[in-house]
Amino acid sequence: MLFKFDSSNRKRFVFFALSVLAGLLDYLICDFVAWINHLPLFCDTIFIMALSFLAGPWWGVLAGFFYHLIDFILNRMLEPGHLFMLCHFLAALTAGYFKIRFIKKTDTGRAVFVKLIVLSVALCLVMSISGGIISYVLSFVEAYNQASSQTDSLTFLWENSFRSKLLLLIAVRLPVNFADRLICTFAAWGVFRVGERISLSSGNVLHRN
């Protein structure tokens, strides 16, 4: 059983602080990977998902909110692209509830590995479909300017293969998200395990109820 959202005030404060930290770290990682080095990856939910594993899915959702709040504060601009916040919410919810439902404390390392692969595939589909739908909606917003995208090359290559623009915007995300979700899921699980050990060695402040 994961931590309940209505836990003690001390846990709430710690989880709130971790939500802010997770949002900030994911923002910095995404900025470094996607926008500075121009790699065809997002890498924007590692710590959001790790917090969902550790504290529960709704704390991950809060971290996703802080990710976009930090972006708004730093850039001083509320743009249509912040609608992709929904993708962060879905990643947090999918990861958190998948762990609650399918990953058990008695699982072997091999079983956990296989389940994380399954989670990565599920997240790939969730993120590709939701991201494609949001991108499709934003394509009708004149003020939205997608300056740089991880899917530009595939969009250019595949645009004549799809009659539906919506299907195109979903399809071009699948290869990118497959690699991205594998990286983020396993990295998030590693961060979660480290956080779990730290919590146990620091007086069980975050120990499961």
Side-chain angles (χ1 to χ4, degrees):
M1 181 177 180
L2 290 188
F3 311 114
K4 295 181 179 179
F5 198 81
D6 59 350
S7 54
S8 67
N9 289 332
R10 190 177 183 185
K11 281 185 180 178
R12 286 183 179 182
F13 176 79
V14 172
F15 291 155
F16 184 85
L18 288 176
S19 298
V20 177
L21 180 61
L24 175 61
L25 290 174
D26 277 330
Y27 178 83
L28 294 175
I29 292 173
C30 179
D31 195 54
F32 178 79
V33 170
W35 307 117
I36 295 178
N37 290 308
H38 303 290
L39 297 176
L41 296 168
F42 298 99
C43 291
D44 56 354
T45 57
I46 293 174
F47 288 91
I48 289 171
M49 290 167 57
L51 187 60
S52 289
F53 290 146
L54 180 68
W58 291 100
W59 288 106
V61 168
L62 184 61
F65 168 77
F66 281 123
Y67 176 105
H68 287 269
L69 180 61
I70 290 167
D71 180 59
F72 169 70
I73 292 173
L74 293 178
N75 294 296
R76 298 181 181 181
M77 183 183 301
L78 184 62
E79 59 179 6
H82 283 296
L83 189 59
F84 285 103
M85 184 189 307
L86 296 175
C87 292
H88 288 91
F89 292 171
L90 289 173
L93 292 171
T94 303
Y97 282 115
F98 184 94
K99 179 182 182 295
I100 293 172
R101 180 66 179 84
F102 297 109
I103 301 180
K104 309 301 180 184
K105 294 178 69 174
T106 55
D107 284 343
T108 64
R110 181 178 297 180
V112 171
F113 177 82
V114 172
K115 290 178 180 181
L116 291 179
I117 294 290
V118 173
L119 174 58
S120 299
V121 173
L123 283 166
C124 172
L125 294 174
V126 168
M127 301 294 274
S128 297
I129 293 171
S130 60
I133 292 173
I134 292 170
S135 185
Y136 179 74
V137 171
L138 292 179
S139 68
F140 296 100
V141 179
E142 187 176 352
Y144 179 62
N145 179 26
Q146 196 170 17
S148 178
S149 171
Q150 292 83 348
T151 59
D152 277 347
S153 296
L154 287 177
T155 302
F156 177 76
L157 291 173
W158 292 359
E159 61 182 348
N160 293 325
S161 302
F162 289 84
R163 285 188 171 183
S164 168
K165 185 176 182 179
L166 174 59
L167 291 179
L168 171 65
L169 292 174
I170 292 173
V172 296
R173 282 168 165 75
L174 289 171
V176 174
N177 276 323
F178 181 72
D180 188 72
R181 291 302 95 193
L182 282 172
I183 293 170
C184 287
T185 299
F186 280 91
W189 188 259
V191 172
F192 157 67
R193 292 305 302 270
V194 171
E196 196 175 41
R197 291 181 181 181
I198 292 174
S199 70
L200 289 172
S201 62
S202 61
N204 295 327
V205 174
L206 306 180
H207 195 266
R208 289 186 177 94
N209 291 325

